[in-house]
Amino acid sequence: MTRNRSVSEKVTTSDEIRTYYKRFIARKLLFMALLIILIGLIAGVATTLGSYQISVTEVYTIIWHGLFHEPETTKELVVWNLRLPSIVMGILAGIGLAIAGTTMQSVVRNPLASPYTLGIASAAGFGAALAIILGRGFAAGQYLIIANAFIFAVLSAFIIYGLSRYRGATPETMILAGIALMYLFSAMTGILQYFGEQTAVAEVVFWMFGSLGRATWDKLLFVFIILAICIPLLMLKSWDLNTLSAGDESAKSLGVNVDQTRVLCFILASIMTAGVICFTGTIGFIGLVAPHMCRLVIGGDNRYLIPASGFLGAVILLAADTVARRILAPTILPVGLLTSFLGVPLFLYLILRRKREYW
Amino acid sequence: MVTLIVKDVAFGYASAPVLAGVSLEVGTKEIVAVLGPNGAGKSTLLKCIDRILHPQHGSILLDGEEISQMSRLELAKKIGYIPQSLAHAFSITVFDAVLMGRRPHISWRTSEEDTEKVLDTLKMLHIEDLAMRDINELSGGQMQQVFIARALVQEPDVLLLDEPTSNLDIRHQLEVMHTIKSIVRKHEISAIMAIHDLNLAARYADKIVLMNGGGILSVGNPATVITPENIRLVFKVDADVYEKEGKLHVVPLRAIVRATQG
């Protein structure tokens, strides 16, 4: 062994390891608890912001009261119908995108992956463009754009699934298929935009920026249901995802069905991403940065990393949205633009201080 | 009593066959070293035994049971495999990395018993002080120990090791081989390793399998298989083989220059 048995070094005993390990887990749980508190605080402050003055304590009272009674006063209506939907969407979208990102990173075994690595954003964008410019799609009325974006995003995931069934579900196959699809959908969106009417094209561009402002309680229920189904399933697979980190051969020898695990988790992550971005448009960097930052604090065990990065994603997205709404007030900046701006320096920093090569 | 029987196994990729007609028997408490030049099919044979690769022909029986009929999980309870390249894409503590070896026995929640098994194994390999370290910060030798520990908490009957000494300095080579030998004897399991070092193989293995061009050329105890003739035939190297203090020593003299190059 290359361990330095220097004079000062004490031999670690099993008891010490037990204590360290318990403390290590306690630290992870504490980190998550802090994030949850932070979500509550930011949500409270964010709800006070706007042209109608409401104090923080009033906000919490109104939210508490509203859980059991229908909103009646103007303040209650403002909080419940105008402000809370976009804030709750921020929390759900942050959780969904961050967990999808964490999952994708394990699935393709690369910490630079995000929910959009395999082209899902382009597919959703094409679906939305098809609805906005041509008015064609899978649903009618106000849900046309949403349904189109969702269905095309999920469709692209299943195309990659189909290809990886044929060629084996290796990270390489999936990434190459994803890149091909991304270019295909971008090109098709380009064609629609080239021939589309100016106002419609502008609407497509606006849709793609990513914003929480279009949220309503109906839509939130849909996002919530998707997350409530996908996240527990991913948690069940979280230990198997850990084994992928050691390489496919090691994972197989540990009894893990590698192809099935990879495909299932990828599909779940894609459905979550689609469920979020069909309502919000593309919000970048949450799914990339949140898992990264969590790994620095609590390590790479997916059993804890998945929930923790979900909570951190919610914190980041809520904070970013609050800033985006205030920075050029009364103009509201789409949060997707801001997360990209916030994400780039953060990401460069992470790359500069990384301990080892990722590619 | 565990026996592994490899019967007439063949494996190949679309372009080229890798293994052909490989048969082998491995008993309990036996250490088998698989020798042969690069491309002889050593790693492929190990991967076929752990069903990471699926042989196109032949059968592999563990305790009389056909491994192709077992589930991945059943197989993981019986065979531990340590690959040649050891790496983790994401940071994880050594403790958690070793704990993964309990995967075949539990699905999600680890119990006190699993924790104890990990602690015992870390103790046995004398790597307790690494427990809370990040696996990606370890040296090659330490990493090797961690992967061995993981395979051991799997509690397998057969341990497969793909070049366990390739990245190690001479001291660690001896330590790792010694560890494997004492584990095999103590836990009454068997080990099959692909290895390049003829001296290490001769010193620690009970049985040598000499492979060449996808087939087995010779099987037997070190003294009968590691001979100057076999080394010349398989490795194209002139070598002296002599016995000293009851151990076989191989001294390579020169590579045989091919006639076309000469």
Side-chain angles (χ1 to χ4, degrees), chain B residues 17-185:
Chain B
V18 182
L19 293 178
V22 173
S23 297
L24 178 67
E25 227 182 286
V26 181
T28 306
K29 290 208 246 178
E30 200 167 38
I31 297 179
V32 176
V34 182
L35 299 175
N38 292 328
K42 304 186 294 292
S43 298
T44 307
L45 175 60
L46 294 189
K47 286 177 191 174
C48 284
I49 295 173
D50 199 23
R51 229 175 70 203
I52 291 167
L53 297 172
H54 302 267
Q56 281 106 6
H57 185 266
S59 61
I60 298 170
L61 302 164
L62 188 59
D63 266 343
E65 205 180 337
E66 177 66 57
I67 66 150
S68 62
Q69 303 300 317
M70 294 183 195
S71 71
R72 201 59 274 168
L73 219 53
E74 265 178 87
L75 196 61
K77 285 177 192 167
K78 296 186 169 160
I79 299 181
Y81 169 76
I82 298 156
Q84 195 177 345
S85 62
L86 311 173
H88 260 261
F90 299 103
S91 293
I92 194 162
T93 61
V94 167
F95 189 93
D96 282 322
V98 176
L99 192 61
M100 277 183 199
R102 296 303 296 161
R103 171 64 182 77
H105 302 273
I106 45 172
S107 64
W108 202 83
R109 247 194 120 71
T110 52
S111 67
E112 201 64 26
E113 191 195 338
D114 298 311
T115 310
E116 291 310 312
K117 286 200 164 123
V118 173
L119 289 171
D120 289 346
T121 310
L122 292 175
K123 193 171 186 174
M124 182 169 73
L125 298 179
H126 309 292
I127 51 171
E128 287 163 297
D129 53 346
L130 300 180
M132 297 317 288
R133 291 268 299 277
D134 180 348
I135 190 164
N136 286 319
E137 290 170 357
L138 303 183
S139 71
Q142 293 169 327
M143 192 86 113
Q144 193 80 52
Q145 301 266 13
V146 171
F147 272 72
I148 291 175
R150 174 192 291 169
L152 287 178
V153 300
Q154 255 176 280
E155 301 183 320
D157 298 327
V158 178
L159 209 52
L160 304 173
L161 304 106
D162 200 346
E163 297 190 18
T165 56
S166 57
N167 295 316
L168 306 180
D169 63 40
I170 190 161
R171 180 193 151 93
H172 289 115
Q173 291 181 2
L174 293 177
E175 276 192 0
V176 163
M177 295 300 283
H178 180 78
T179 307
I180 293 166
K181 187 161 188 163
S182 60
I183 291 163
V184 165
R185 301 285 193 260

Side-chain angles (χ1 to χ4, degrees), chain A residues 168-335:
Chain A
T170 64
E172 293 77 15
T173 311
M174 295 174 89
I175 290 174
L176 289 176
I179 290 173
L181 283 182
M182 186 177 77
Y183 278 108
L184 174 70
F185 283 115
S186 300
M188 294 202 298
T189 309
I191 288 176
L192 287 177
Q193 287 178 317
Y194 187 76
F195 291 108
E197 280 182 42
Q198 222 165 20
T199 49
V201 172
E203 204 186 325
V204 171
V205 171
F206 184 76
W207 186 89
M208 286 182 183
F209 281 153
S211 155
L212 303 175
R214 299 184 280 261
T216 62
W217 287 110
D218 292 348
K219 295 174 181 172
L220 288 168
L221 182 67
F222 181 81
V223 180
F224 178 79
I225 290 172
I226 284 188
L227 297 190
I229 293 169
C230 293
I231 294 173
L233 289 174
L234 282 174
M235 286 300 297
L236 274 178
K237 280 279 166 193
S238 56
W239 215 28
D240 287 358
L241 277 177
N242 285 350
T243 64
L244 294 187
S245 169
D248 287 7
E249 288 176 359
S250 289
K252 277 183 193 170
S253 73
L254 291 171
V256 174
N257 187 334
V258 170
D259 282 11
Q260 187 222 56
T261 300
R262 184 167 274 138
V263 163
L264 177 70
C265 293
F266 158 68
I267 294 284
L268 289 172
S270 297
I271 290 174
M272 270 204 307
T273 310
V276 169
I277 65 175
C278 71
F279 295 110
T280 64
T282 316
I283 297 172
F285 280 95
I286 303 285
L288 181 63
V289 168
H292 243 299
M293 291 171 71
C294 281
R295 248 184 231 112
L296 291 177
V297 182
I298 65 165
D301 185 348
N302 279 300
R303 288 176 297 170
Y304 299 92
L305 187 65
I306 287 176
S309 55
F311 295 137
L312 184 63
V315 168
I316 298 174
L317 187 52
L318 265 188
D321 188 54
T322 309
V323 174
R325 283 195 289 152
R326 300 300 294 169
I327 197 167
L328 294 175
T331 307
I332 294 172
L333 204 61
V335 67

Side-chain angles (χ1 to χ4, degrees), chain A residues 30-227:
Chain A
L30 181 71
F31 179 64
M32 283 190 245
L34 287 176
L35 289 174
I36 293 172
I37 293 170
L38 210 54
I39 292 173
L41 289 177
I42 300 176
V45 173
T47 313
T48 64
L49 302 175
S51 46
Y52 195 92
Q53 293 292 323
I54 306 170
S55 74
V56 179
T57 43
E58 275 179 302
V59 164
Y60 287 122
T61 322
I62 290 169
I63 292 174
W64 179 250
H65 187 75
L67 290 177
F68 312 103
H69 306 90
E70 282 291 307
E72 285 161 5
T73 66
T74 318
K75 274 186 184 176
E76 285 173 351
L77 285 168
V78 166
V79 168
W80 276 94
N81 292 350
L82 292 180
R83 295 191 184 163
L84 273 186
S86 69
I87 284 162
V88 176
M89 184 60 100
I91 295 172
L92 294 182
I95 291 174
L97 291 175
I99 290 180
T102 312
T103 309
M104 288 305 299
Q105 293 178 355
S106 284
V107 163
V108 301
R109 209 185 299 134
N110 190 324
L112 298 181
S114 83
Y116 308 134
T117 299
L118 300 188
I120 201 168
S122 313
F126 173 73
L130 200 66
I132 295 167
I133 294 173
L134 295 183
R136 298 279 166 79
F138 294 96
Q142 56 161 330
Y143 288 107
L144 176 64
I145 301 173
I146 295 162
N148 257 21
F150 182 77
I151 287 168
F152 273 96
V154 172
L155 188 72
S156 82
F158 275 93
I159 293 173
I160 293 173
Y161 163 63
L163 287 170
S164 57
R165 268 194 73 105
Y166 177 66
R167 284 290 299 161
T170 64
E172 293 77 15
T173 311
M174 295 174 89
I175 290 174
L176 289 176
I179 290 173
L181 283 182
M182 186 177 77
Y183 278 108
L184 174 70
F185 283 115
S186 300
M188 294 202 298
T189 309
I191 288 176
L192 287 177
Q193 287 178 317
Y194 187 76
F195 291 108
E197 280 182 42
Q198 222 165 20
T199 49
V201 172
E203 204 186 325
V204 171
V205 171
F206 184 76
W207 186 89
M208 286 182 183
F209 281 153
S211 155
L212 303 175
R214 299 184 280 261
T216 62
W217 287 110
D218 292 348
K219 295 174 181 172
L220 288 168
L221 182 67
F222 181 81
V223 180
F224 178 79
I225 290 172
I226 284 188
L227 297 190

